[in-house]
């Protein structure tokens, strides 16, 4: 099912710190997961994805970890920068169903 | 990377009027486009899925007669909010998917902010 919240969780970090944003997904049948970054007033921007046959995937400064046992997804951002300040959404999808289900989002605030 | 545009980026209209929002895939052909609505501090809520040349599939609770979707070509989908009311004020975002593979990445447009007075 969907998880939509009225209050965005917020993570505040200092520039240079590593950030970890967590997401609990709802459908145990989901086998494809994506992290999106959304800056204020803009559309979501693709960051990284992972399929269920993997438990870790790395990109540039970002790492996604997948724990299917507890239906948990995390996004790690190394050396966080002020430009990383945004709302981060995880999204899930399962084979045979063409749409994405978005999580409620986490606001990341990076202070210089 | 794949680019999706939306027009207009923002619109203010009077209650009772209709508003059309365009979504274009600029450098790829989108077999499927999606329309989302997002209220402040909330997540994206899928409104409908449209496949080129066929009728859109609406999510539960979304009025298809109020939110008209047309996907006449592989690069253009339009959303028309008919007889808009203040409660329709929101951020409308489209996304487009190139392939027919179900897990092909969706690319999002920049969004259209609608304010109904």
């Amino acid at each position: 099912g969907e998880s939509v919240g009225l209050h965005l969780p917020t993570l505040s970090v200092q520039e240079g710190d590593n950030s970890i944003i967590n997401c609990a997904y709802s459908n145990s049948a989901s086998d494809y997961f994506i992290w999106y970054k959304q800056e204020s007033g803009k559309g979501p921007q693709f960051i990284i994805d992972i399929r269920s046959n993997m438990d870790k995937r790395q990109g540039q400064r970002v790492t996604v970890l997948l724990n299917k046992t507890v239906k948990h997804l995390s996004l790690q951002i190394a050396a966080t920068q002020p430009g990383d300040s945004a709302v981060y959404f995880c999204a899930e999808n399962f084979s045979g169903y063409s749409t994405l289900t978005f999580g409620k989002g986490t606001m990341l605030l990076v202070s210089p | 990377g794949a680019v999706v545009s939306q027009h207009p980026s923002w619109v203010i209209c009077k209650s009772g009027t209709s508003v059309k929002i365009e979504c274009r895939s600029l450098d790829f052909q989108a077999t499927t486009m999606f329309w989302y609505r997002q209220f402040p501090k909330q997540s994206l809520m899928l409104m409908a899925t449209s496949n080129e040349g066929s009728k859109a599939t609406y999510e539960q609770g979304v009025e298809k007669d109020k939110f008209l979707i047309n996907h006449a070509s592989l690069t253009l989908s339009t959303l028309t909010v008919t007889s808009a009311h203040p409660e329709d004020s929101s951020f409308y975002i489209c996304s487009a998917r190139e392939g027919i593979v179900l897990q092909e990445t969706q690319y999002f447009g920049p969004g259209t902010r609608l304010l109904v007075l």
Side-chain angles (χ1 to χ4, degrees):
Chain A
E2 297 180 344
S3 59
V4 176
L6 297 178
H7 305 283
L8 278 176
T10 300
L11 174 64
S12 297
V13 301
Q14 294 285 324
E15 182 178 2
D17 288 350
N18 295 331
S19 301
I20 299 176
I21 300 171
N22 297 304
C23 174
Y25 63 93
S26 55
N27 190 343
S28 57
S30 293
D31 55 7
Y32 180 55
F33 306 88
I34 310 173
W35 278 101
Y36 287 95
K37 171 186 180 184
Q38 186 180 27
E39 297 177 69
S40 181
K42 297 183 179 179
Q45 177 186 359
F46 173 89
I47 301 174
I48 192 168
D49 60 359
I50 188 169
R51 300 189 187 275
S52 60
N53 60 352
M54 303 173 68
D55 53 20
K56 180 179 180 178
R57 190 167 186 220
Q58 288 184 296
Q60 187 177 13
R61 275 201 313 120
V62 294
T63 301
V64 55
L65 298 177
L66 173 63
N67 185 330
K68 295 182 289 294
T69 302
V70 294
K71 293 188 289 186
H72 184 267
L73 194 67
S74 68
L75 176 70
Q76 300 178 1
I77 304 174
T80 315
Q81 304 167 0
D84 295 327
S85 294
V87 178
Y88 290 80
F89 292 99
C90 66
E92 61 182 295
N93 171 272
F94 65 92
S95 301
Y97 194 62
S98 65
T99 62
L100 293 173
T101 300
F102 279 80
K104 61 183 179 181
T106 297
M107 179 174 289
L108 176 65
L109 297 174
V110 183
S111 359
Chain B
V3 179
V4 176
S5 70
Q6 281 184 241
H7 178 80
S9 56
W10 59 271
V11 57
I12 302 173
C13 69
K14 293 182 179 179
S15 184
T17 60
S18 294
V19 175
K20 179 185 284 189
I21 303 170
E22 292 185 350
C23 177
R24 292 182 186 273
S25 57
L26 298 186
D27 50 2
F28 67 99
Q29 294 186 323
T31 55
T32 307
M33 287 184 168
F34 305 86
W35 286 96
Y36 295 83
R37 181 167 52 181
Q38 185 179 33
F39 293 105
K41 297 191 183 302
Q42 292 191 27
S43 188
L44 282 74
M45 295 294 294
L46 180 66
M47 298 175 68
T49 301
S50 77
N51 293 297
E52 185 265 337
S54 62
K55 290 184 178 180
T57 302
Y58 290 81
E59 295 298 302
Q60 191 174 6
V62 178
E63 300 174 56
K64 62 180 181 180
D65 294 330
K66 181 170 182 62
F67 298 100
L68 301 179
I69 291 171
N70 183 277
H71 191 166
S73 79
L74 284 171
T75 59
L76 173 64
S77 175
T78 60
L79 167 68
T80 302
V81 183
T82 62
S83 186
H85 288 92
E87 58 266 29
D88 298 323
S89 298
S90 188
F91 193 48
Y92 292 87
I93 308 171
C94 73
S95 71
R97 189 176 65 205
E98 180 175 17
I100 59 174
V101 174
L102 294 176
Q103 295 180 344
E104 198 76 25
T105 302
Q106 288 186 32
Y107 297 95
F108 285 81
T112 296
R113 190 162 301 281
L114 171 63
L115 176 61
V116 185
L117 302 177

